[in-house]
């Protein structure tokens, strides 16, 4: 993408030119807003004309200049053209400028690599774990390390730490003219330029690096020095070095606590009378070691802060999700209820609800969203709202489940269906009407200790798969002493440390031997699942609901 690079305070700040037109000026509506009273509110515009970018002055007071010439009409822009709006200096760069070597990225505008070369290096030092030989110039190194530590103390943002590091290095090395820091991208492994600095604000802030030197620093973890890069005979075979027009440069690795190179610091000077020396390289390496530790600490602190923020947001989400579950169950004479919900992650995709309808019947809803975590929780919140609203006006369970299914089919997220059980219990006639949408059959513990399950032919498609699907309603009386157990597959698929599953068979056996009160049976089943898992983390949400009719 083509960019205008703002050259300010010795740094290069890129502004993308992504649209057909970009306004530049002091007004907040401008695509590039400049905080300078010498710039007009709408000073100039950059626009595309005939497939090429051009710039036009918009009647500004202080004028617009391209390569030192004030423009009176629209002027086409070429790569590396220098644009000046009042006192503000830009450089125009077209997409595709510059190149990158393998492992060397060039995402920071103002940092370029010279052409490929095979230069001999005249001076180098062993990094010795990142700090160099500490017995060499110990006082100077200690002072430099303390300056870096003081400057970077309290930094929690990598983006602000790196410019501060360069500012401090320019204070330590008074002869430095240009500096650049490359950091390793943890996803691609490439070294990407992340910060740069130029001592003279009025000059172009471009920093040019030698591939040969940077690659050698990365491969050998060695600090390198050229006493005079532009004329040293040992660089005669290096095209990029000879084209850099610098008289002295230093390049050192930033070695992290794991011994790997986390970044590279490059500093050069154009002053032929004040070149870098070997002791400067030793000092820079010691400072780079402390910088690497500060960078690692800042990066880890930033990751920790982001994790804390994420955890805090998930805590809020968990509270919201828990608020969607019923605080209490209906108090119906002769009936008892129990439900528990344990998410495998901070939030989950299981769902249950219980409410008393206007006609005195009890509505029980139970679901398991395909997927866990935040995506499952979002679908869970949607079906919760849908069930609450639908059951308030649907006259029959058939119409209710049809309305719920059609609503979930509308704007459905691909692959995010819900296995669902909807039951309506008549506490007077003691009859249960139940619809099963792709869920496991509830288990009914009968008074004689046997387990009854619904026929597989009565199980329909999950909710949210097919609009207007004809779900089958199963009706069954609830006898005194019977307990209906509804559960998600987090129960039977709970796994112990040996990789064994809890299984439906073990669940049936436990229910037959378990308590004969619905709430006691539900708690005991959950406790047995946890005991079986023996501390192994859940691999799925575990939700259990029990409904029991008393004997009298």
């Amino acid at each position: 993408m083509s960019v205008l690079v703002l050259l300010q305070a010795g740094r290069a700040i890129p502004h993308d030119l992504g649209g057909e037109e970009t306004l530049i000026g002091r007004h907040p509506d401008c695509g590039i807003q400049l905080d300078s009273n010498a710039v007009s509110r709408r000073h100039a515009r950059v626009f595309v004309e005939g497939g090429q970018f051009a710039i036009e002055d918009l009647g500004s007071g202080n004028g617009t200049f391209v390569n030192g010439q004030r423009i009176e009409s629209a002027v086409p822009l070429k790569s590396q053209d220098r644009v000046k709006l009042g006192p503000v200096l830009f450089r125009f760069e077209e997409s595709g400028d510059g190149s990158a070597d393998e492992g060397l990225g060039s995402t920071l505008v103002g940092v370029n690599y010279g052409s490929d070369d095979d230069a001999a290096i005249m001076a180098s030092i062993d990094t010795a774990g990142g700090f160099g030989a500490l017995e060499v110039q110990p006082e100077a190194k200690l002072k430099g390390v303390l300056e870096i530590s003081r400057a970077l103390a309290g930094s929690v943002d990598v983006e602000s730490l790196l410019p501060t590091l360069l500012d401090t290095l320019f204070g330590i090395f008074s002869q430095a003219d240009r500096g650049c820091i490359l950091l390793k991208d943890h996803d691609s492994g490439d070294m990407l330029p992340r910060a740069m600095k130029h001592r003279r604000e009025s000059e172009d802030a471009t920093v040019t690096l030698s591939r040969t030197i940077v690659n050698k620093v990365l491969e050998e973890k060695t600090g390198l020095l050229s006493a005079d890069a532009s004329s040293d005979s040992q660089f005669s075979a290096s095209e990029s070095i000879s084209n850099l027009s610098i008289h002295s440069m230093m390049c050192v690795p930033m070695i992290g606590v794991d011994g790997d190179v986390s970044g590279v610091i490059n500093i050069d000077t154009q002053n032929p009378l004040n070149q870098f020396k070997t002791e400067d390289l030793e000092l820079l390496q010691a400072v780079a070691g402390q910088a690497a530790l500060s960078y690692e600490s800042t990066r880890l602190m930033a990751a920790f802060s982001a994790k804390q923020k994420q955890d805090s947001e998930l805590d809020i989400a968990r509270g919201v999700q828990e608020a969607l579950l019923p605080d209490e169950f209906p108090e119906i004479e002769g009936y008892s209820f129990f439900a528990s919900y344990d998410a495998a992650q901070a939030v989950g995709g299981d769902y249950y609800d219980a409410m008393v309808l206007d006609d005195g019947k009890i509505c029980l809803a139970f679901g398991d969203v395909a997927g866990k975590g935040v995506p499952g929780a979002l679908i869970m919140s949607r079906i919760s709202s849908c069930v609450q609203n639908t059951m308030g006006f649907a006259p029959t369970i058939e119409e209710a489940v049809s309305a719920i299914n059609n609503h979930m089919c509308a704007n459905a997220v691909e692959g995010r269906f819900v296995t669902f059980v909807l039951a309506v219990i008549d506490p007077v006639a003691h009859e249960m009407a139940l619809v099963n949408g792709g869920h496991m059959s509830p288990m009914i513990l009968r008074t004689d200790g046997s387990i009854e399950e619904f026929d597989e032919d009565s199980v329909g498609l999950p909710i949210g798969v097919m609009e207007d699907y004809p779900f089958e309603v199963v009706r069954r009386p609830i006898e005194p002493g019977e307990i209906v157990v509804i559960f998600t597959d987090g129960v039977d698929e709970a796994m112990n440390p040996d990789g064994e599953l809890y299984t439906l068979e073990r669940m049936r056996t436990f229910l037959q031997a378990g308590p004969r009160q619905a709430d006691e049976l539900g708690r005991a089943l959950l406790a047995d699942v946890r005991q079986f898992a023996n501390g192994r983390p859940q691999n799925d949400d575990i939700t259990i609901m029990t409904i029991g009719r008393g004997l009298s």
Side-chain angles (χ1 to χ4, degrees):
M1 179 176 292
S2 298
V3 295
L4 268 182
V5 185
L6 174 61
L7 307 176
Q8 187 178 60
R11 297 182 176 87
I13 305 172
H15 293 275
D16 293 339
L17 301 174
E20 291 294 316
E21 179 181 88
T22 301
L23 292 177
I24 310 173
R26 207 171 67 248
H27 196 279
D29 291 341
C30 290
I32 301 177
Q33 185 184 6
L34 302 176
D35 185 16
S36 173
N37 291 330
V39 175
S40 300
R41 290 169 61 83
R42 289 181 174 84
H43 195 110
R45 71 180 183 116
V46 177
F47 60 98
V48 178
E49 185 177 57
Q52 181 179 6
F53 279 98
I55 188 168
E56 180 183 24
D57 186 80
L58 299 178
S60 65
N62 291 318
T64 300
F65 297 79
V66 176
N67 296 326
Q69 299 295 317
R70 184 164 183 162
I71 63 173
E72 301 298 335
S73 59
V75 174
L77 289 173
K78 302 183 297 296
S79 186
Q80 304 304 312
D81 276 351
R82 296 168 69 82
V83 178
K84 193 174 182 182
L85 284 67
V88 182
L89 182 64
F90 288 90
R91 184 180 65 250
F92 175 70
E93 291 191 2
E94 290 185 306
S95 56
D97 286 354
S99 58
D101 200 2
E102 183 178 358
L104 299 178
S106 56
T107 59
L108 180 68
V109 175
V111 176
N112 300 315
Y113 289 100
S115 59
D116 199 13
D117 51 62
D118 187 19
I121 307 300
M122 64 164 293
S124 64
I125 60 169
D126 183 8
T127 56
F131 290 87
L134 294 177
E135 66 273 11
V136 180
Q137 300 186 91
E139 294 182 1
K141 288 185 175 180
L142 177 59
K143 180 181 177 181
V145 168
L146 290 176
E147 286 188 32
I148 288 292
S149 299
R150 186 182 301 111
L152 304 183
S155 296
V156 295
D157 177 37
V158 173
E159 299 304 324
S160 62
L161 176 143
L162 298 178
T164 302
L165 173 56
L166 283 176
D167 290 341
T168 308
L169 290 176
F170 273 47
I172 295 173
F173 301 100
S174 58
Q175 69 270 51
D177 288 314
R178 299 178 298 188
C180 176
I181 299 176
L182 289 75
L183 294 180
K184 185 176 183 179
D185 182 80
H186 290 276
D187 294 327
S188 67
D190 291 344
M191 283 290 171
L192 303 180
R194 294 287 296 277
M196 52 171 293
K197 179 177 175 64
H198 197 293
R199 186 177 295 279
R200 289 177 285 277
E201 297 183 12
S202 61
E203 296 187 10
D204 194 332
T206 301
V207 174
T208 306
L209 305 178
S210 165
R211 286 200 191 101
T212 297
I213 292 175
V214 175
N215 281 330
K216 188 175 180 66
V217 168
L218 295 175
E219 293 168 5
E220 301 182 8
K221 301 181 183 179
T222 302
L224 303 177
L225 164 69
S226 165
D228 193 343
S230 63
S231 61
D232 195 322
S233 61
Q234 298 193 51
F235 282 103
S236 59
S238 172
E239 180 186 349
S240 68
I241 289 291
S242 62
N243 288 336
L244 298 187
S245 299
I246 63 176
H247 294 274
S248 187
M249 57 77 62
M250 297 186 294
C251 189
V252 297
M254 296 170 59
I255 299 180
V257 293
D258 56 1
D260 291 335
V261 178
S262 59
V264 169
I265 299 176
N266 187 93
I267 295 179
D268 67 55
T269 178
Q270 295 173 294
N271 187 348
L273 301 179
N274 197 5
Q275 302 176 0
F276 292 125
K277 300 178 177 61
T278 303
E279 51 264 33
D280 293 319
L281 183 63
E282 286 280 358
L283 177 56
L284 179 59
Q285 184 57 66
V287 169
Q290 180 59 38
L293 295 181
S294 297
Y295 163 67
E296 287 294 323
S297 297
T298 301
R299 189 177 62 82
L300 292 174
M301 180 60 71
F304 176 71
S305 298
K307 180 64 166 57
Q308 279 191 316
K309 181 180 179 181
Q310 183 184 55
D311 289 345
S312 177
E313 292 174 347
L314 286 175
D315 284 341
I316 295 173
R318 179 168 53 243
V320 172
Q321 185 175 42
E322 289 175 353
L324 296 175
L325 302 175
D327 293 330
E328 55 187 23
F329 285 94
E331 293 185 4
I332 303 296
E333 185 177 356
Y335 284 85
S336 59
F337 304 89
F338 168 83
S340 67
Y341 175 38
D342 290 320
Q345 300 176 16
V347 291
D350 284 2
Y351 156 76
Y352 68 85
D353 203 351
M355 65 194 85
V356 178
L357 303 178
D358 292 340
D359 58 4
K361 295 179 181 179
I362 307 164
C363 173
L364 303 173
F366 195 91
D368 184 357
V369 178
K372 300 181 289 295
V374 174
L378 291 173
I379 304 298
M380 175 270 197
S381 65
R382 184 181 175 191
I383 194 169
S384 171
S385 173
C386 181
V387 170
Q388 288 279 350
N389 291 323
T390 301
M391 297 310 298
F393 67 82
T396 66
I397 188 172
E398 292 90 345
E399 293 174 278
V401 72
S402 179
I404 293 169
N405 176 61
N406 288 345
H407 177 83
M408 296 301 293
C409 284
N411 301 317
V413 179
E414 185 177 356
R416 296 293 178 181
F417 56 85
V418 184
T419 63
F420 185 67
V421 173
L422 183 66
V424 174
I425 297 175
D426 186 338
V428 177
H430 305 297
E431 182 183 70
M432 176 175 65
L434 182 143
V435 173
N436 188 334
H439 200 78
M440 291 174 296
S441 171
M443 294 186 184
I444 301 176
L445 178 62
R446 304 177 68 176
T447 54
D448 61 1
S450 62
I451 298 290
E452 179 183 334
E453 299 177 49
F454 291 94
D455 194 308
E456 289 186 1
D457 293 339
S458 66
V459 179
L461 290 178
I463 296 294
V465 173
M466 179 185 294
E467 193 172 359
D468 294 327
Y469 180 82
F471 291 94
E472 180 180 345
V473 179
V474 178
R475 288 178 168 81
R476 180 192 185 282
I478 301 178
E479 302 296 338
E482 290 187 334
I483 301 175
V484 181
V485 182
I486 311 175
F487 57 98
T488 60
D489 54 7
V491 174
D492 61 290
E493 294 179 1
M495 193 175 295
N496 65 15
D498 295 328
E500 299 170 336
L501 297 178
Y502 187 79
T503 72
L504 290 174
E505 188 57 39
R506 178 186 175 101
M507 179 178 171
R508 295 185 186 100
T509 301
F510 178 83
L511 293 179
Q512 290 176 317
R516 286 297 187 266
Q517 295 293 326
D519 55 344
E520 294 180 7
L521 182 62
R523 292 189 183 92
L525 175 60
L526 178 61
D528 191 62
V529 172
R530 288 174 174 167
Q531 182 180 13
F532 174 83
N534 194 23
R536 176 165 181 157
Q538 290 177 223
N539 58 339
D540 201 354
D541 305 330
I542 297 176
T543 305
I544 299 170
M545 176 184 281
T546 56
I547 310 100
R549 181 185 173 189
L551 289 172
S552 57

